[in-house]
Amino acid sequence: MAIERTLAILKPDCVRKQKIGEVLRRIQEAGFEIQAMKMLTMSKAEAEGFYAVHEDKPFFDDLTDFMSSGPCVPVVLEKENAIADFRDLIGATDPDEAAEGTIRSDFAGSIQENIVHGSDSPANGQKETAYFFAEHEIVANQ
Ligand code: IDP
Ligand code: MG
C-alpha cells in the first residue's frame, strides 16, 4: 500500500464541543502523522469553494453556513492507505449509520454537524491540502 495524504478538517462543531484534543488523539493513535495544522474561520465564500462539488445539493447553503460559523482546524495527515483508513476511523457521514467506536458515531450531533471532514481520494487529498496550506507549511517539505 502506498503512503498517502489526506486533508482532515475538525469542523466548527468539534471546536465548539472542545473535542480538538480528543479527536487528534484518536487520529494519532490510529497511526496518522500530522504534517500541517492551523486554526481559522472560513468565510462563507471559502466554505462554498471548498464544498463546490456539492453546490447543487439541497444542503449546500446550510452546510456552508455551518462550515463558516466559527473556527475550524484543517490538518494534513500522512499514513499508508491514509484516504481509506481515515474514512474508516471517522465513520459514515450520518452518525446514525456510522460504525460503533468511530469518531462520528461517538461525537457527531447530526448528518450535517458531523465533527470531521476527510478527503475521498488521493487527488482530492492533494487539492484540498492546497486549499489551506502552502507547500512550505507542510513539515515534510521543510
Ligand atoms: P463526507 O463528509 O462523509 O464525505 P459528503 O457526502 O461529501 O460526506 O458531504 C459533505 C458534508 O456535507 C458532510 O460531511 C456533511 O457535513 C454534509 N452533508 C452531507 N449530506 C448531508 C445531508 O443529507 N444533510 C445535511 N448535510 C449533509
Ligand atoms: Mg465528501
Side-chain angles (χ1 to χ4, degrees), residues 4 8 68 76 83 121 130 132:
E4 294 174 345
S68 59
V76 178
I83 298 289
S121 67
F132 292 105

Side-chain angles (χ1 to χ4, degrees), residues 5 7 83 119-129:
R5 276 192 188 155
L7 187 275
I83 298 289
S119 306
D120 62 9
S121 67
N124 281 335
Q126 294 287 358
K127 200 171 136 189
E128 292 174 357
T129 292

